[in-house]
Every structure is written in structure tokens, then in C-alpha cells.
Amino acid sequence: SQETVVVEQSGQRRTLHQLSRMVGEGTRRMALTKGLIERNDAPALYVSSGGVVEGRSFAPGQDASLHRPLSWDSLGAAGLQLLSPGLPELMLGLDHFTTEAEEAGIAVLAANLTDAAGDHPFDGARMVQVGDVHVAFIGVVDPAIEAQLDSTARSGLDIEPPTPAVERALHSLRAR
């Protein structure tokens, strides 16, 4: 689905495009996303709160969708700048997800995600300049995802409660 909202900011009209997808819809929305960004006459950001890569395969004996690499390629080509991972992104484990995001050139924000050593592998927050506006982003992973991961994927990560993680991220943003 697509929703377009016109907002006023500093006396100027701006357009906000929100796209969502059905499970299994894959990369078909990428041309639309890229087109909206390219046609926009103002600076644009493309961010995602997760659930944008292909997850489980529908083919017998295949864990991950064979379309998954195409999803990552399309997200990178469309200019996805920030991603906070959802279940499909983490389903193969933290190490696999980290490699996929790095190879696609996509920055990850996850304030409440820790690795097996208890370290935060990703920034929790980032300040981004869009035109003349500074926008703060804080990435939070839904803690319910952890229970949905299989034991192999779950073994290398921990998803903390969001509130303390967001408080830490806000503190880091204010300190900048």
C-alpha cells in the first residue's frame, strides 16, 4: 500500500511518502520507492523499521527465500539509508544479518540489540541532515522477535527492553 501526505515545514510544503508491503511481496515496490525519491523536488530519506527483506522460503528444504539476496540488492540500489531490523532480517542470525547489511551498504540502527558478548554491534541513534533540517533516528528492535527466532538465530543475540535503550540513545543524541 502507498500513502502520500503533504506536510508544511518552515512555511514550505513537503511530501511524505509511506510505503508498506505484504509478506512475500519482495522487491516489486523498489521501482516505486526509487521513483518517488527521484521525482521528489526536496531532499529525501529512505528508512525502514524492518521486515523489508525476504524471509522464509516457501520451497521445501530451503530455510531462507532465494529472493533474499535480491531484496538486499534492491534496497541498496533504491537508496535505503537506515534500517532497524525486524524478524525477516534477523531470522538467519545476527552475524548473517550484519554481513548482509554491510554488503548492501545499509546502515543499521538498533539501540536495544546486543550480541553474544553483550556488546551493541550497531549504533542506537543517528542524526541525519536532510536539506536544512536535522532529523534524529533511534532504532529499536521489537523484543517479541527474539521468541520467534529459532534457537540458532537466537543464540547470538539479545533484545533488551526498549525503554532503557531509547533513554541511552537520547542521551547520546543530546551529547552531540
Side-chain angles (χ1 to χ4, degrees), residues 79-167:
L80 181 64
Q81 292 160 292
L82 298 172
L83 169 67
S84 185
L87 179 60
E89 288 81 18
L90 294 172
M91 66 171 263
L92 298 177
L94 184 58
D95 291 341
H96 193 90
F97 164 69
T98 302
T99 300
E100 288 175 321
E102 286 174 357
E103 288 177 355
I106 298 169
V108 176
L109 294 180
N112 63 329
L113 182 67
T114 60
D115 60 20
D119 297 323
H120 294 272
F122 308 110
D123 290 340
R126 184 169 294 182
M127 185 73 72
V128 178
Q129 185 167 348
V130 184
D132 58 353
V133 176
H134 292 273
V135 182
F137 289 92
I138 298 174
V140 177
V141 179
D142 181 356
I145 288 172
E146 196 167 358
Q148 298 172 52
L149 295 170
D150 67 28
S151 61
T152 303
R154 192 171 50 246
S155 68
L157 61 83
D158 183 45
I159 303 173
E160 304 171 327
T163 302
V166 169
E167 288 171 353

Coordinates of all heavy atoms in Angstrom, one line a residue, residues 79-167:
G79 N 18.5 3.1 -2.4 CA 19.0 4.1 -1.5 C 18.6 4.0 -0.1 O 18.6 5.0 0.6
L80 N 18.2 2.8 0.4 CA 17.8 2.7 1.8 C 19.0 3.1 2.6 O 20.1 2.6 2.5 CB 17.5 1.2 2.1 CG 17.1 1.0 3.6 CD1 15.8 1.7 3.9 CD2 16.9 -0.5 3.8
Q81 N 18.8 4.1 3.5 CA 19.9 4.7 4.3 C 20.0 4.2 5.7 O 21.1 4.1 6.2 CB 19.7 6.2 4.3 CG 19.9 6.8 2.9 CD 19.3 8.1 2.7 OE1 18.1 8.3 2.7 NE2 20.2 9.1 2.6
L82 N 18.8 3.9 6.3 CA 18.8 3.4 7.7 C 17.8 2.3 7.8 O 16.7 2.4 7.3 CB 18.5 4.5 8.7 CG 19.4 5.7 8.7 CD1 18.8 6.8 9.6 CD2 20.8 5.3 9.3
L83 N 18.2 1.3 8.6 CA 17.4 0.1 8.8 C 17.4 -0.3 10.2 O 18.5 -0.5 10.8 CB 17.8 -1.1 7.9 CG 17.2 -2.4 8.1 CD1 15.7 -2.4 7.8 CD2 17.9 -3.5 7.3
S84 N 16.3 -0.5 10.9 CA 16.2 -1.1 12.2 C 15.6 -2.5 11.9 O 14.6 -2.6 11.3 CB 15.3 -0.3 13.1 OG 15.3 -0.9 14.4
P85 N 16.3 -3.6 12.2 CA 15.9 -4.9 11.8 C 14.7 -5.4 12.4 O 14.3 -5.2 13.6 CB 17.1 -5.8 12.2 CG 17.8 -5.1 13.3 CD 17.6 -3.6 13.0
G86 N 13.9 -6.2 11.6 CA 12.8 -6.9 12.0 C 13.0 -8.4 12.0 O 14.2 -8.9 11.8
L87 N 12.0 -9.2 12.1 CA 12.1 -10.7 12.1 C 12.8 -11.2 10.9 O 13.7 -12.0 11.0 CB 10.8 -11.3 12.4 CG 10.7 -12.8 12.4 CD1 11.6 -13.4 13.5 CD2 9.3 -13.3 12.6
P88 N 12.3 -10.8 9.7 CA 13.0 -11.4 8.5 C 14.5 -11.1 8.4 O 15.2 -11.9 7.9 CB 12.2 -10.7 7.3 CG 11.0 -10.3 7.9 CD 11.2 -9.9 9.3
E89 N 14.9 -9.9 8.8 CA 16.3 -9.6 8.8 C 17.1 -10.4 9.7 O 18.2 -10.8 9.4 CB 16.5 -8.1 9.1 CG 16.0 -7.1 8.0 CD 14.5 -6.9 8.0 OE1 13.9 -7.1 9.0 OE2 14.0 -6.4 7.0
L90 N 16.6 -10.7 10.9 CA 17.3 -11.4 11.9 C 17.2 -13.0 11.9 O 17.8 -13.7 12.7 CB 16.9 -10.9 13.3 CG 17.3 -9.5 13.6 CD1 16.7 -9.0 14.9 CD2 18.8 -9.3 13.6
M91 N 16.3 -13.5 11.0 CA 16.0 -14.9 11.1 C 17.1 -15.9 10.8 O 17.1 -17.0 11.2 CB 14.8 -15.2 10.1 CG 15.2 -15.0 8.6 SD 14.0 -15.7 7.5 CE 14.6 -17.3 7.2
L92 N 18.2 -15.4 10.2 CA 19.4 -16.2 9.9 C 20.5 -16.0 11.0 O 21.6 -16.5 10.8 CB 19.9 -16.0 8.5 CG 18.9 -16.4 7.4 CD1 19.5 -16.1 6.0 CD2 18.5 -17.9 7.5
G93 N 20.2 -15.1 11.9 CA 21.2 -14.8 13.0 C 21.8 -13.5 12.8 O 21.8 -12.9 11.7
L94 N 22.4 -13.0 13.9 CA 23.0 -11.6 13.9 C 24.2 -11.5 13.0 O 24.3 -10.5 12.2 CB 23.4 -11.3 15.3 CG 23.9 -9.9 15.5 CD1 22.9 -8.8 15.1 CD2 24.2 -9.7 17.0
D95 N 25.0 -12.5 13.0 CA 26.2 -12.4 12.1 C 25.9 -12.4 10.6 O 26.4 -11.6 9.9 CB 27.2 -13.6 12.4 CG 27.8 -13.6 13.7 OD1 27.9 -12.5 14.3 OD2 28.3 -14.6 14.2
H96 N 24.9 -13.2 10.3 CA 24.5 -13.3 8.9 C 23.8 -11.9 8.5 O 24.1 -11.4 7.4 CB 23.5 -14.4 8.7 CG 23.2 -14.7 7.2 ND1 23.9 -15.6 6.5 CD2 22.3 -14.2 6.4 CE1 23.5 -15.7 5.3 NE2 22.5 -14.8 5.2
F97 N 23.0 -11.4 9.3 CA 22.3 -10.1 9.1 C 23.4 -9.0 8.9 O 23.3 -8.2 8.0 CB 21.3 -9.8 10.2 CG 20.9 -8.3 10.2 CD1 20.1 -7.8 9.2 CD2 21.3 -7.5 11.2 CE1 19.8 -6.4 9.2 CE2 21.0 -6.1 11.2 CZ 20.2 -5.6 10.2
T98 N 24.3 -9.0 9.8 CA 25.4 -7.9 9.8 C 26.1 -8.0 8.5 O 26.3 -6.9 7.9 CB 26.3 -8.1 11.0 OG1 25.6 -8.1 12.2 CG2 27.4 -7.1 11.0
T99 N 26.5 -9.1 8.0 CA 27.2 -9.3 6.8 C 26.3 -8.8 5.6 O 26.8 -8.1 4.7 CB 27.6 -10.8 6.5 OG1 28.5 -11.1 7.6 CG2 28.3 -10.9 5.2
E100 N 25.0 -9.2 5.6 CA 24.1 -8.8 4.5 C 24.0 -7.3 4.5 O 24.1 -6.7 3.4 CB 22.7 -9.4 4.7 CG 22.7 -10.9 4.5 CD 21.3 -11.5 4.8 OE1 20.7 -11.1 5.8 OE2 20.8 -12.3 4.0
A101 N 23.8 -6.6 5.6 CA 23.6 -5.2 5.7 C 24.9 -4.5 5.2 O 24.8 -3.5 4.5 CB 23.2 -4.7 7.1
E102 N 26.0 -5.0 5.7 CA 27.3 -4.3 5.3 C 27.5 -4.5 3.8 O 27.9 -3.5 3.1 CB 28.5 -5.0 6.0 CG 28.6 -4.6 7.5 CD 29.6 -5.3 8.3 OE1 30.3 -6.3 7.7 OE2 29.8 -5.0 9.5
E103 N 27.3 -5.6 3.2 CA 27.5 -5.8 1.8 C 26.5 -5.0 1.0 O 26.9 -4.6 -0.1 CB 27.3 -7.3 1.4 CG 28.4 -8.2 1.9 CD 28.3 -9.7 1.6 OE1 27.2 -10.1 1.2 OE2 29.2 -10.4 1.9
A104 N 25.3 -4.7 1.5 CA 24.4 -3.9 0.8 C 24.7 -2.4 1.0 O 24.0 -1.5 0.3 CB 22.9 -4.2 1.2
G105 N 25.6 -2.1 1.9 CA 25.9 -0.7 2.2 C 24.8 0.1 3.0 O 24.6 1.3 2.8
I106 N 24.1 -0.7 3.8 CA 22.9 -0.1 4.5 C 23.3 0.0 6.0 O 23.7 -0.9 6.6 CB 21.7 -0.9 4.4 CG1 21.3 -1.0 2.9 CG2 20.5 -0.4 5.2 CD1 20.2 -2.0 2.5
A107 N 23.2 1.2 6.6 CA 23.5 1.5 8.0 C 22.3 0.9 8.8 O 21.1 1.0 8.5 CB 23.6 3.0 8.2
V108 N 22.7 0.3 9.9 CA 21.7 -0.3 10.9 C 21.7 0.5 12.2 O 22.7 0.8 12.7 CB 22.1 -1.8 11.1 CG1 21.2 -2.4 12.1 CG2 22.1 -2.6 9.8
L109 N 20.5 0.7 12.7 CA 20.3 1.3 14.0 C 19.5 0.3 14.8 O 18.5 -0.2 14.4 CB 19.5 2.6 13.9 CG 20.1 3.8 13.2 CD1 19.2 4.9 13.2 CD2 21.4 4.1 13.8
A110 N 20.1 0.0 16.0 CA 19.4 -1.0 16.9 C 19.9 -0.7 18.3 O 20.8 -1.4 18.8 CB 19.7 -2.4 16.5
A111 N 19.2 0.2 19.0 CA 19.6 0.6 20.3 C 19.5 -0.5 21.4 O 20.3 -0.5 22.3 CB 18.8 1.8 20.8
N112 N 18.6 -1.4 21.2 CA 18.4 -2.5 22.2 C 18.8 -3.9 21.8 O 18.4 -4.8 22.4 CB 16.9 -2.5 22.6 CG 16.0 -2.9 21.4 OD1 16.3 -2.6 20.3 ND2 14.9 -3.5 21.8
L113 N 19.7 -4.0 20.8 CA 20.2 -5.2 20.3 C 21.6 -5.4 20.8 O 22.4 -4.6 20.5 CB 20.1 -5.3 18.8 CG 20.5 -6.6 18.1 CD1 19.5 -7.7 18.5 CD2 20.5 -6.4 16.6
T114 N 21.9 -6.5 21.4 CA 23.3 -6.9 21.8 C 23.7 -8.2 21.2 O 22.8 -9.1 21.0 CB 23.4 -6.9 23.4 OG1 22.6 -7.9 23.9 CG2 23.1 -5.5 24.0
D115 N 25.0 -8.4 21.1 CA 25.5 -9.6 20.6 C 25.8 -10.6 21.7 O 25.5 -10.3 22.9 CB 26.7 -9.4 19.7 CG 27.9 -8.8 20.4 OD1 27.9 -8.8 21.7 OD2 28.7 -8.2 19.7
A116 N 26.3 -11.8 21.4 CA 26.6 -12.8 22.4 C 27.5 -12.3 23.5 O 27.4 -12.8 24.7 CB 27.1 -14.0 21.7
A117 N 28.4 -11.3 23.2 CA 29.3 -10.8 24.2 C 28.7 -9.7 25.1 O 29.3 -9.2 26.0 CB 30.6 -10.3 23.5
G118 N 27.5 -9.3 24.7 CA 26.8 -8.2 25.5 C 27.1 -6.9 24.9 O 26.7 -5.8 25.5
D119 N 27.8 -6.8 23.8 CA 28.1 -5.5 23.1 C 27.0 -5.1 22.2 O 26.3 -6.0 21.6 CB 29.4 -5.7 22.3 CG 30.6 -6.0 23.2 OD1 30.7 -5.4 24.3 OD2 31.5 -6.8 22.8
H120 N 26.9 -3.8 21.9 CA 26.0 -3.3 21.0 C 26.6 -3.2 19.6 O 27.5 -2.3 19.4 CB 25.5 -1.9 21.4 CG 24.7 -1.9 22.6 ND1 23.3 -2.1 22.6 CD2 25.0 -1.8 23.9 CE1 22.8 -2.1 23.9 NE2 23.9 -1.9 24.7
P121 N 26.3 -4.1 18.7 CA 27.0 -4.1 17.4 C 26.7 -3.0 16.5 O 27.4 -2.7 15.5 CB 26.6 -5.5 16.8 CG 25.3 -5.8 17.4 CD 25.3 -5.2 18.8
F122 N 25.6 -2.2 16.8 CA 25.1 -1.2 15.9 C 24.9 0.1 16.7 O 24.6 0.0 17.9 CB 23.8 -1.5 15.2 CG 23.9 -2.8 14.5 CD1 23.2 -3.9 14.9 CD2 24.6 -3.0 13.3 CE1 23.2 -5.2 14.3 CE2 24.7 -4.2 12.7 CZ 24.0 -5.3 13.2
D123 N 25.0 1.2 16.1 CA 24.6 2.5 16.7 C 23.1 2.4 17.1 O 22.3 1.8 16.4 CB 24.8 3.7 15.8 CG 26.2 4.0 15.5 OD1 27.1 3.6 16.3 OD2 26.5 4.7 14.5
G124 N 22.8 3.1 18.2 CA 21.4 3.1 18.6 C 20.7 4.3 18.0 O 19.5 4.2 17.8
A125 N 21.4 5.3 17.7 CA 20.8 6.6 17.2 C 21.7 7.2 16.2 O 22.9 7.0 16.2 CB 20.5 7.5 18.3
R126 N 21.1 8.0 15.4 CA 21.9 8.8 14.4 C 21.1 10.1 14.0 O 19.9 10.1 13.9 CB 22.1 8.0 13.1 CG 23.0 8.7 12.1 CD 23.4 7.8 11.0 NE 24.2 6.8 11.5 CZ 24.8 5.8 10.8 NH1 24.6 5.8 9.5 NH2 25.6 4.9 11.3
M127 N 21.9 11.1 13.9 CA 21.4 12.4 13.5 C 21.7 12.6 12.0 O 22.9 12.4 11.6 CB 22.0 13.6 14.2 CG 21.5 14.9 13.9 SD 19.8 15.2 14.6 CE 20.2 15.3 16.4
V128 N 20.7 12.8 11.2 CA 20.9 12.9 9.7 C 20.4 14.3 9.3 O 19.4 14.8 9.7 CB 20.1 11.8 9.0 CG1 20.2 11.9 7.5 CG2 20.5 10.5 9.5
Q129 N 21.2 14.9 8.4 CA 20.7 16.2 7.8 C 20.1 15.9 6.5 O 20.6 15.3 5.6 CB 21.9 17.2 7.6 CG 21.5 18.5 7.2 CD 22.5 19.6 7.3 OE1 23.6 19.4 7.9 NE2 22.3 20.7 6.7
V130 N 18.9 16.5 6.3 CA 18.1 16.4 5.1 C 17.8 17.8 4.7 O 17.0 18.5 5.3 CB 16.8 15.6 5.3 CG1 16.0 15.4 4.0 CG2 17.0 14.2 6.0
G131 N 18.5 18.2 3.7 CA 18.4 19.7 3.3 C 18.9 20.5 4.4 O 20.0 20.3 4.9
D132 N 18.0 21.4 4.9 CA 18.4 22.3 6.0 C 17.8 21.8 7.4 O 17.8 22.5 8.3 CB 18.0 23.7 5.7 CG 16.5 23.8 5.5 OD1 15.8 22.8 5.4 OD2 16.0 25.0 5.4
V133 N 17.3 20.6 7.4 CA 16.7 20.0 8.6 C 17.5 18.9 9.2 O 18.0 18.0 8.4 CB 15.3 19.5 8.3 CG1 14.6 18.9 9.5 CG2 14.4 20.7 7.8
H134 N 17.7 18.9 10.5 CA 18.4 17.7 11.2 C 17.3 16.8 11.7 O 16.4 17.3 12.4 CB 19.3 18.2 12.3 CG 20.5 19.0 11.8 ND1 21.6 18.4 11.4 CD2 20.6 20.3 11.6 CE1 22.5 19.3 11.0 NE2 21.9 20.5 11.1
V135 N 17.4 15.5 11.4 CA 16.4 14.6 11.8 C 17.1 13.5 12.7 O 18.2 13.0 12.3 CB 15.7 13.9 10.6 CG1 14.7 12.9 11.1 CG2 15.2 14.9 9.7
A136 N 16.6 13.2 13.9 CA 17.2 12.2 14.7 C 16.4 10.9 14.5 O 15.2 10.9 14.5 CB 17.1 12.7 16.2
F137 N 17.1 9.8 14.5 CA 16.6 8.5 14.4 C 17.1 7.6 15.5 O 18.3 7.7 15.8 CB 16.9 7.8 13.0 CG 16.3 8.4 11.8 CD1 16.9 9.4 11.1 CD2 15.0 8.0 11.4 CE1 16.3 10.0 10.0 CE2 14.4 8.6 10.4 CZ 15.0 9.6 9.7
I138 N 16.2 6.9 16.1 CA 16.6 5.9 17.1 C 16.0 4.5 16.6 O 14.8 4.4 16.3 CB 16.0 6.2 18.5 CG1 16.6 7.5 19.0 CG2 16.3 5.1 19.5 CD1 16.0 8.0 20.3
G139 N 16.9 3.5 16.5 CA 16.4 2.2 16.1 C 16.1 1.3 17.2 O 16.9 1.2 18.2
V140 N 15.0 0.7 17.2 CA 14.5 -0.2 18.3 C 14.0 -1.5 17.7 O 13.2 -1.4 16.7 CB 13.4 0.4 19.2 CG1 13.0 -0.5 20.2 CG2 13.9 1.7 19.8
V141 N 14.5 -2.6 18.2 CA 14.0 -3.9 17.7 C 12.9 -4.4 18.6 O 13.1 -4.3 19.8 CB 15.2 -4.9 17.6 CG1 14.7 -6.3 17.2 CG2 16.3 -4.4 16.8
D142 N 11.9 -4.9 18.1 CA 10.8 -5.4 18.8 C 11.2 -6.6 19.7 O 11.7 -7.6 19.1 CB 9.6 -5.8 17.9 CG 8.4 -6.4 18.6 OD1 8.4 -6.5 19.9 OD2 7.4 -6.7 17.9
P143 N 11.2 -6.6 21.0 CA 11.6 -7.7 21.8 C 10.9 -9.0 21.6 O 11.4 -10.1 21.8 CB 11.4 -7.2 23.3 CG 11.4 -5.7 23.2 CD 10.8 -5.4 21.8
A144 N 9.7 -8.9 21.1 CA 8.9 -10.1 20.8 C 9.6 -11.0 19.7 O 9.3 -12.2 19.5 CB 7.5 -9.8 20.4
I145 N 10.4 -10.3 18.9 CA 11.1 -11.1 17.8 C 12.0 -12.2 18.3 O 12.0 -13.3 17.7 CB 11.9 -10.1 16.9 CG1 11.0 -9.2 16.1 CG2 12.9 -10.8 16.0 CD1 11.7 -8.1 15.4
E146 N 12.6 -12.0 19.5 CA 13.5 -12.9 20.0 C 12.9 -14.3 20.2 O 13.4 -15.3 19.8 CB 14.1 -12.4 21.3 CG 15.3 -13.2 21.8 CD 16.1 -12.5 22.9 OE1 15.7 -11.4 23.3 OE2 17.1 -13.1 23.3
A147 N 11.6 -14.3 20.7 CA 10.9 -15.6 20.9 C 10.5 -16.3 19.6 O 10.3 -17.5 19.5 CB 9.7 -15.4 21.7
Q148 N 10.5 -15.5 18.5 CA 10.1 -16.0 17.2 C 11.3 -16.6 16.4 O 11.1 -17.3 15.4 CB 9.4 -14.9 16.4 CG 8.1 -14.4 17.0 CD 7.6 -13.2 16.3 OE1 7.4 -13.3 15.1 NE2 7.3 -12.2 17.0
L149 N 12.5 -16.3 16.8 CA 13.7 -16.8 16.2 C 13.9 -18.3 16.6 O 13.6 -18.7 17.7 CB 14.9 -16.0 16.5 CG 14.9 -14.5 16.0 CD1 16.0 -13.8 16.7 CD2 14.9 -14.5 14.5
D150 N 14.5 -19.1 15.7 CA 14.9 -20.4 16.1 C 16.1 -20.3 17.0 O 16.7 -19.3 17.1 CB 15.1 -21.3 14.9 CG 16.3 -21.0 14.0 OD1 17.3 -20.4 14.6 OD2 16.3 -21.3 12.8
S151 N 16.4 -21.4 17.6 CA 17.5 -21.4 18.7 C 18.8 -21.0 18.1 O 19.6 -20.3 18.8 CB 17.6 -22.8 19.4 OG 17.9 -23.8 18.4
T152 N 19.1 -21.4 16.9 CA 20.4 -21.0 16.3 C 20.5 -19.5 16.1 O 21.5 -18.9 16.5 CB 20.6 -21.7 14.9 OG1 20.5 -23.1 15.1 CG2 22.0 -21.3 14.3
A153 N 19.5 -18.9 15.5 CA 19.5 -17.4 15.3 C 19.5 -16.7 16.7 O 20.1 -15.6 16.8 CB 18.3 -17.0 14.5
R154 N 18.7 -17.2 17.6 CA 18.6 -16.5 18.9 C 19.8 -16.6 19.8 O 20.1 -15.7 20.6 CB 17.4 -17.2 19.6 CG 16.9 -16.5 20.9 CD 15.6 -17.0 21.4 NE 15.6 -18.5 21.7 CZ 14.9 -19.3 21.0 NH1 14.0 -18.9 20.1 NH2 15.0 -20.6 21.2
S155 N 20.7 -17.6 19.5 CA 21.8 -17.8 20.4 C 22.9 -16.7 20.3 O 23.6 -16.5 21.3 CB 22.5 -19.2 20.1 OG 23.1 -19.1 18.8
G156 N 22.9 -16.0 19.3 CA 23.9 -14.9 19.1 C 23.5 -13.5 19.4 O 24.2 -12.6 19.1
L157 N 22.3 -13.4 20.0 CA 21.8 -12.0 20.2 C 20.9 -12.0 21.4 O 20.4 -13.0 21.9 CB 21.1 -11.5 19.0 CG 19.8 -12.2 18.5 CD1 18.6 -11.8 19.3 CD2 19.6 -11.9 17.0
D158 N 20.7 -10.7 21.9 CA 19.7 -10.5 23.0 C 19.0 -9.2 22.6 O 19.7 -8.2 22.2 CB 20.5 -10.3 24.3 CG 19.5 -10.1 25.5 OD1 18.5 -10.8 25.5 OD2 19.8 -9.3 26.3
I159 N 17.7 -9.1 22.8 CA 17.0 -7.9 22.6 C 16.5 -7.4 23.9 O 15.7 -8.0 24.6 CB 15.8 -8.2 21.6 CG1 16.3 -8.8 20.3 CG2 15.0 -6.9 21.4 CD1 15.2 -9.2 19.3
E160 N 17.1 -6.3 24.3 CA 16.8 -5.7 25.6 C 15.4 -4.9 25.5 O 14.9 -4.6 24.5 CB 17.8 -4.6 25.9 CG 19.2 -5.1 25.9 CD 20.3 -4.0 26.0 OE1 20.0 -2.9 25.6 OE2 21.3 -4.3 26.6
P161 N 14.8 -4.6 26.7 CA 13.6 -3.8 26.7 C 13.9 -2.4 26.1 O 15.0 -1.9 26.3 CB 13.3 -3.7 28.2 CG 14.0 -4.8 28.9 CD 15.2 -5.1 28.0
P162 N 13.0 -1.9 25.4 CA 13.2 -0.7 24.6 C 13.5 0.6 25.5 O 14.3 1.4 25.1 CB 11.9 -0.5 23.8 CG 11.3 -1.8 23.8 CD 11.7 -2.5 25.0
T163 N 12.8 0.7 26.6 CA 12.8 2.0 27.3 C 14.3 2.4 27.7 O 14.7 3.5 27.4 CB 11.9 2.0 28.5 OG1 10.6 1.7 28.0 CG2 11.9 3.3 29.3
P164 N 15.0 1.5 28.4 CA 16.4 2.0 28.8 C 17.3 2.2 27.6 O 18.1 3.1 27.6 CB 16.9 0.8 29.6 CG 15.9 -0.3 29.6 CD 14.7 0.2 29.0
A165 N 17.1 1.4 26.5 CA 17.9 1.6 25.3 C 17.6 3.0 24.6 O 18.5 3.7 24.2 CB 17.6 0.5 24.3
V166 N 16.3 3.3 24.6 CA 15.9 4.6 24.0 C 16.5 5.8 24.9 O 16.9 6.8 24.3 CB 14.4 4.7 23.8 CG1 14.0 6.1 23.5 CG2 13.9 3.8 22.7
E167 N 16.4 5.6 26.2 CA 17.0 6.6 27.1 C 18.5 6.8 26.8 O 18.9 7.9 26.8 CB 16.7 6.3 28.5 CG 15.2 6.5 28.9 CD 14.9 5.9 30.3 OE1 15.7 5.3 30.9 OE2 13.7 6.1 30.7

